[in-house]
Amino acid sequence: MTAPARNRPPRVGDSPAVRRTLITAVLAIGAVLVLAPLVVILTQAFSLGFSYFAETITAPDTRHAILLTVLTALIAVPVNTVFGIAAAWAITKFDFPGRRLLLIVAEIPFSISPIVAGVAYLFVYGLQGLFGQALQDADIKILFALPGIVLASMFVTAPFVARELIPLMQAQGRDLEEAATSLGASGWRTFFSVTLPNIRWALLYGVVLCNARVMGEFGAVSVVSGNIRGQTNTLPLHVELLYHDYNTVGAFAAASILTVLAIFTIIAKVLLERQGAGRGGRPALAAPNAIPAEKPQ
Amino acid sequence: MKIRLENVVKTFETFRAVRDVSLDIESGELVALLGPSGSGKTTILRMVAGLEFADGGHIHFGDQDATDIPVRDRGVGFVFQHYALFPHMTVAQNIAFGMKVSKVRRARQEIDARVAELLRLVRLEGLGDRFPTQISGGQRQRVALARALAVDPKVLLLDEPFGALDANVRRDLRRWLREIHGELGITTIFVTHDQEEALDLADRVVILNEGRIVQQGTPEEVCRRPNSSFVMHFLGDAYRLPAQVEAGIARIGDVALDAPSCPEGPAEIYVRPADLGWTNSGSGMPAVVTRVIDRPDGRRVLADTDAGQSLEIDVPPETPVRASDRGFVQINRGSVFPAA
């Protein structure tokens, strides 16, 4: 290929004016919508100096909120990971009545407002709810306690792992598992040495997204948790609480922790995408003859 | 290992993939299951492997009824159409997989030695550390074979083994697989829709159509004595000429052909381009040449007979013939079947 000559008419749709306008507009909107608020959070968090920042985030209520958020993630993420793998496996490897329905059900939390999920849980487990009386008689506390927070978080993030795995596993088909079994591998052995390694990046990608959402979830959790300071307050709820207390700097400090978490998530996401996870990496993993390596060096 | 299929039946939902198939495969034989798509050949292979279970009938391995033995314990080596190599393992790890997961414990050195031996057998020495994406299609095919052989299978099963390869690689691999089979003497069944591949490679060809065995025999038997018009058509270009049988001789105009086993009355003569001859003067079916195609090993004449039939005739390279010549088509040999 020779270098394109200068002053040649641009490709179709490649007019310089359109290009410049579009790029400038997108950059400007991105800066105002996304970047500026993040910068504000960080500057506000440190506006009264580092010591005040440190004091705020080590305050007992904030510490407890962080702990609760981490605890919720530690329970909700593994459970949803197992659910995601199981759902993806069932949907892609088996034929059963209700397969399509399961596919739709697993996607519902994406399209439904989290607050609806929270209210629904109120109706199911609340005192006036379906199991409310039975639960109270058995002295089991679900709402306004950790179980409720975990359940609501799990509802909201249920599709994350399954959604990453299903297209990949669909593309891979059953050949690899059949090959492993025909070579004498047991079901568990096949899963751990053949299936899992081939979905590991997509799985991790789903887990990272799921974790980010669990830690940041506000709507559903705010309904079921009861916002009891130092007891059922997760980090996002705590931010709101501090803000309503006119402790702006404290709110921004707590928010900055969530922001840092988000930045770590993005970094993990980018690294995983380089490994072929996410939507972009699928075809290469899927097609057995995608790489025409007829003459490898 | 001798394999015996007895009245095997398989239905998917409402589609009857395999209907009452019985087949005996001798120990050490190399058998091709040949048929168009949807003929049930792959389903039969997968049932022999244990990847599908038969709805009816029995599959025997030697004296043992293997019908309900799961694939894991059946002791077959299966080579998948797209190889199904484990993409996250190297070539050597792929080959070692069966030995590592086996119930029979093996020492690491033993496994390594066997992997090296198999790499030599499939002529891939030095490629053990490559990943499947780093080798060519033909090489992947050989890795898949080595992996299947690593567990010392009683039977080797190959599903469209050369389907995804280009023509040259295909021919080399075919000859090579024949050599490996000669060396190891393992009972082998392979599935193909390519008649040339089946005839080139197999001791015995089993021709299937719509879930049934239509004909089985050596390549010579199925080529020289096809038992039906389906087999005749499926094995290569064939033309049907309506004829009349009288006293054991089939006639079309003044062309006659021996048909000792065909009943009197209307019949059909099936001929291939190589069964026909062309002469510019003499006797035969009068015809006009529409086109002549020149090939390295001969010429192919495309002609329309006066009876309105288009035929293709293979003639020696030195035959003087041109488009729009008038002449006669001769039938040197053909298969005669009673008219359906």
Side-chain angles (χ1 to χ4, degrees), chain A residues 178 184 193 198 288 293 296-297, chain B residues 46 72 87-88 130 134 136 140:
Chain A
E178 282 185 351
S193 18
N198 280 301
Q297 64 282 1
Chain B
R46 288 173 62 87
R72 194 184 161 200
H88 60 292
R130 297 272 183 90
Q134 297 170 321
S136 71
R140 281 179 215 167

Side-chain angles (χ1 to χ4, degrees), chain A residues 6-7 41 52 67 69 91 120 136 144 152 163 165 176 185 197 212 216 222 229 241 245 249 255 264 286 294:
Chain A
R6 276 169 203 281
N7 302 326
I41 286 177
Y52 188 83
L67 217 70
T69 298
I91 286 170
Q136 200 186 30
F144 314 122
R163 201 172 118 109
L165 294 183
L176 293 180
S222 88
R229 211 176 284 235
L241 221 71
D245 287 350
V249 176
F264 277 127
E294 207 54 52

Side-chain angles (χ1 to χ4, degrees), chain A residues 9 14 23 38 67 110 118 193 208 212-213:
Chain A
D14 202 20
I23 291 174
L38 288 182
L67 217 70
F110 265 135
S193 18
V208 165
R213 185 65 196 267

Side-chain angles (χ1 to χ4, degrees), chain B residues 58-81:
Chain B
H58 291 275
I59 297 168
H60 296 277
F61 279 24
D63 299 326
Q64 195 184 15
D65 186 345
T67 317
D68 297 320
I69 299 178
V71 56
R72 194 184 161 200
D73 304 314
R74 209 176 275 205
V76 298
F78 200 98
V79 176
F80 289 80
Q81 189 173 0

Side-chain angles (χ1 to χ4, degrees), chain B residues 151-300:
Chain B
V151 291
D152 294 316
K154 296 176 246 176
V155 186
L156 185 60
L157 305 168
L158 304 104
D159 186 9
E160 298 271 3
F162 313 113
L165 301 170
D166 63 54
N168 284 333
V169 179
R170 214 180 244 236
R171 205 175 41 230
D172 290 348
L173 271 182
R174 235 188 254 164
R175 298 282 150 84
W176 168 82
L177 181 63
R178 184 74 228 185
E179 280 170 35
I180 295 249
H181 178 261
E183 221 170 289
L184 302 176
I186 182 171
T187 310
T188 304
I189 309 176
F190 74 99
V191 154
T192 180
H193 63 270
D194 181 344
Q195 66 282 1
E196 194 192 318
E197 199 165 282
L199 298 172
D200 190 337
L201 192 51
D203 296 323
R204 195 147 59 94
V205 178
V206 177
I207 300 170
L208 293 142
N209 187 33
E210 293 178 345
R212 290 201 181 84
I213 295 178
V214 184
Q215 186 173 7
Q216 50 174 308
T218 61
E220 189 190 355
E221 280 164 2
V222 296
C223 286
R224 298 298 153 249
R225 290 188 295 283
N227 69 358
S228 62
S229 55
F230 172 82
V231 173
M232 187 76 193
H233 269 291
F234 193 69
L235 289 181
D237 293 345
Y239 299 96
R240 187 180 68 180
L241 303 167
Q244 204 68 31
V245 175
E246 257 171 59
I249 293 174
R251 287 178 195 283
I252 307 171
D254 55 354
V255 179
L257 197 69
D258 281 345
S261 59
C262 195
E264 304 264 312
E268 286 163 345
I269 303 180
Y270 282 84
V271 289
R272 299 193 187 286
D275 297 336
L276 300 172
W278 175 263
T279 172
N280 286 336
S281 58
S283 66
M285 293 182 286
V288 183
V289 176
T290 55
R291 213 179 138 204
V292 180
I293 301 168
D294 279 290
R295 293 176 171 171
D297 51 355
R299 317 185 79 188
R300 178 165 282 202

